[in-house]
Amino acid sequence: MPNIKTLKVRFTAATILLLVLLGLFVWADISFTGYMRGVAARINAAGQLRFRSFEIASYLKTILELRRTPPSPTAVAAAENRLDRNVAEFGQLLSALEHGDEKMGLLPLAGDEQAAFSRLARKWTDRIQPALAAVIALPRDVPGGRAAARLHELDGLIHEYVYDDINVFVGSLVERYNMQLMAFNYIRLVTLGVFGLASLIVVIYASRRVIRPLRVLKDAAAVIGTGNFDIAVQARGDEEINLLSDS
């Protein structure tokens, strides 16, 4: 078993301890950075819900306007395809947010985030989609005033959905992101403080147990060099320093 009083063992132990602390800090930093990247991707995906909602309302308005003009099957079909694509992408975003998506860098929701998202998803399923389907199903010969009224009703519902549900959900994600970032920054400062304190302890230890005794030995060697061999050397430190002093 190595002698813990030797300078080599003590400095080796201190070096290993500092390296372990540094390794843990680097690992925690990398892990947290990856996690926050996923949170940022979640915020971005949730923000896309707003864009898709307004796109859906815009394409639906375009379809109704095209139906009131002389028939243009190609234009109507193109607008309907764009609408269907946006509705499908909206559903895919909801699924990715809830269950996670590796390609998008999304982790499944949990806890309070899951509860808030469930309310948002239910409103899309129970209110927005049925209202959307009802407007799409309006016959071509429906009076313009009736179609405009249904469209206005759906447009108001979508705006309510965006501002009262999606924005609240996105805001909660952003708030949680900022709180976690502040907490980790605090941990970083504490860790840097620990490193600084450990480094200070090593410096003080080296000064008292190594540098100061070596200076005493140096002064003693200078005296011996003048021919005075009766000097008593009082240099005490770790085992190596004591052995050198006694010799």
Side-chain angles (χ1 to χ4, degrees), residues 18 193-207:
L18 289 175
V194 171
F195 276 127
L197 180 61
S199 300
L200 181 62
I201 292 174
V202 171
V203 170
I204 294 175
Y205 177 82
S207 176

Side-chain angles (χ1 to χ4, degrees), residues 17 30-31 40 61 152 160 186:
L17 178 60
I30 293 174
S31 300
K61 180 180 179 181
H152 179 74
E160 175 189 325
Y186 175 77

Side-chain angles (χ1 to χ4, degrees), residues 6-23:
T6 63
L7 184 63
K8 178 181 178 181
V9 171
R10 291 184 176 181
F11 270 98
T12 300
T15 301
I16 292 175
L17 178 60
L18 289 175
L19 288 176
V20 169
L21 290 174
L22 179 61

Side-chain angles (χ1 to χ4, degrees), residues 32 36 39 43 170-185:
F32 183 77
M36 295 308 285
V39 174
I43 293 173
V170 174
S172 67
L173 293 180
V174 172
E175 182 179 1
R176 187 181 184 90
Y177 175 89
N178 290 332
M179 290 177 61
Q180 291 175 331
L181 189 60
M182 289 178 61
F184 189 71
N185 285 337

Side-chain angles (χ1 to χ4, degrees), residues 203-218:
V203 170
I204 294 175
Y205 177 82
S207 176
R208 291 184 176 181
R209 305 292 292 180
V210 180
I211 299 176
R212 189 179 299 174
L214 287 178
R215 286 178 179 173
V216 173
L217 290 174
K218 177 184 176 183

Side-chain angles (χ1 to χ4, degrees), residues 130-144:
L132 179 62
V135 174
I136 294 176
L138 288 174
R140 293 182 180 275
D141 57 352
V142 68

Side-chain angles (χ1 to χ4, degrees), residues 106-233:
L106 297 174
L107 296 174
L109 292 171
D112 296 339
E113 294 176 347
Q114 177 64 51
F117 177 80
S118 295
R119 291 191 295 270
L120 183 148
R122 281 198 305 270
K123 189 169 184 178
W124 167 258
T125 303
D126 297 342
R127 297 186 61 188
I128 306 297
Q129 279 191 313
L132 179 62
V135 174
I136 294 176
L138 288 174
R140 293 182 180 275
D141 57 352
V142 68
R146 180 183 170 192
R150 297 295 294 271
L151 179 62
H152 179 74
E153 179 183 349
L154 178 60
D155 190 61
L157 187 59
I158 288 178
H159 277 75
E160 175 189 325
Y161 183 60
V162 169
Y163 294 116
D164 294 347
D165 295 280
I166 296 179
N167 280 357
V168 171
F169 178 65
V170 174
S172 67
L173 293 180
V174 172
E175 182 179 1
R176 187 181 184 90
Y177 175 89
N178 290 332
M179 290 177 61
Q180 291 175 331
L181 189 60
M182 289 178 61
F184 189 71
N185 285 337
Y186 175 77
I187 294 175
R188 280 176 170 170
L189 291 176
V190 171
T191 304
L192 289 175
V194 171
F195 276 127
L197 180 61
S199 300
L200 181 62
I201 292 174
V202 171
V203 170
I204 294 175
Y205 177 82
S207 176
R208 291 184 176 181
R209 305 292 292 180
V210 180
I211 299 176
R212 189 179 299 174
L214 287 178
R215 286 178 179 173
V216 173
L217 290 174
K218 177 184 176 183
D219 294 340
V223 173
I224 293 173
T226 63
N228 182 2
F229 297 99
D230 295 329
I231 184 173
V233 180

